[in-house]
Amino acid sequence: RSLARSLACLLQARAAAGAMGYLCDPYAPRLLSGSSKAAARRALARRRPPLINRGTHARAMAVQRTLDAFLAATASDMSRQIVSLGAGYSSSALLLAQQRGGRPPRGLRFFELDFHEVCAAKAATVAADQEMMRLLGGAEGGEPDKIAEGVTDNRLAASGVELDANACTLRTPAYCLFPCDLRDAVALREGLAVEGFDDAAPTLVLCECVLSYLDPVAGDALLEWAARLPQGAVAAYEAVGMEDAFGQQMAQHLADRGCAMRGAAAGATLAAHEKRCEAAGFEHAQAVDMYTLYTCSPSLDRAEIARAARIEPLDEIEEWRMLMQHYCFLVGSQQGLKEALWLTPGDEGAAAFPQGTPGMLLPGVPRPRGLPCAD
């Protein structure tokens, strides 16, 4: 329940960052209002510190870049899959379709897994929204009250959509949302098999702050499952360096909120994250701290980062640097997907990055609220 509340807080932060112009995500506020209209109003009215907004932007850019790179690398495949573990209220599947003419990418099946509570709220909200259903491969939405009661809506069935309110599951030809306990890798495999998952298809497994919270044994089991996929890759946004004073303070804060970081020790360093992926069976692994990735990496759109820096001044430069250095982006892949997902041009790994460029993080020219998002 504490982690579910944390997911709602993440959605609030994303919606607030969108309102400030950092992100172009029209679906975050709608997903938020579906779970709680009062929470949506509070989230959009509450202005987050620039440090939080900038961090939300960095995370969103890293995830979006990885999804786009995977889709580009598998464009010729008739069948491909993205599996988002601990998906929460993510709008990634919606945004991928919106950015590609309003329909799901060709041949893609997008799976999202999380707690029952989260899946129930998300399924009801999405199924009741005609635009979101269309973007996920359905034709139109049903009535929220009918969905909440578990009554089948004929319009959903007619468009190839299956909504099982009791099982907290939503299916379209291109999308599947269902609950799963990620601590049980066997249940994960069985649940995906029931939903038509193809072990042989190119697959990207996305984890955002999943491995950090799972017991190391359970986290290793997830990585080993992903590594056994012949055309599989994993991309993870996780904590790193939690053993120093700043990291311990972060971990204690999260523990006080009921979100113990049980798996943080398994990723104590960037090298530990990489070795963990390799031990699971991936041929290649790379972990880069978010400060380096956001300030230096050519993998991310430098013009977009410069635009975000002009939205509002950032005075907490040192706190920002320390916070970003305690999160990393991890990629594990088999040979076929290495070049597409690798975060640097070559095989040098994280050592290839120069030191962060502080100038990118100096206070920029404040940008008025309400200006359109970047293309």
Side-chain angles (χ1 to χ4, degrees), residues 158-247:
S159 63
V161 176
E162 297 179 38
L163 173 68
D164 187 336
N166 294 326
C168 310
T169 301
L170 178 66
R171 305 180 188 91
T172 78
Y175 174 80
C176 181
L177 168 71
F178 70 95
C180 181
D181 185 344
L182 299 181
R183 295 170 296 183
D184 187 343
V186 174
L188 167 67
R189 292 195 301 271
E190 293 175 348
L192 284 168
V194 169
E195 300 300 340
F197 180 81
D198 182 359
D199 286 358
T203 301
L204 175 65
V205 178
L206 180 63
C207 305
E208 296 186 60
C209 287
V210 170
L211 301 175
S212 298
Y213 291 99
L214 282 178
D215 178 273
V217 174
D220 288 345
L222 289 183
L223 290 173
E224 290 165 5
W225 161 74
R228 283 196 292 270
L229 301 173
Q231 298 189 74
V234 65
Y237 172 86
E238 302 292 344
V240 65
M242 302 302 286
E243 297 180 351
D244 65 18
F246 188 88

Side-chain angles (χ1 to χ4, degrees), residues 94-152:
L94 297 162
L95 292 171
L96 287 180
Q98 181 208 41
Q99 295 158 2
R100 290 163 174 79
R103 300 300 296 175
R106 184 187 61 82
L108 178 68
R109 190 95 191 277
F110 201 117
F111 298 86
E112 292 191 321
L113 291 70
D114 214 305
F115 301 112
H116 278 81
E117 174 187 347
V118 174
C119 289
K122 189 171 187 178
T125 301
V126 171
D129 188 300
Q130 294 189 17
E131 182 188 1
M132 287 198 280
M133 283 308 309
R134 177 178 56 79
L135 290 170
L136 296 178
E140 57 180 300
E143 298 295 332
D145 56 340
K146 292 183 180 180
I147 292 169
E149 295 167 6
V151 178
T152 300

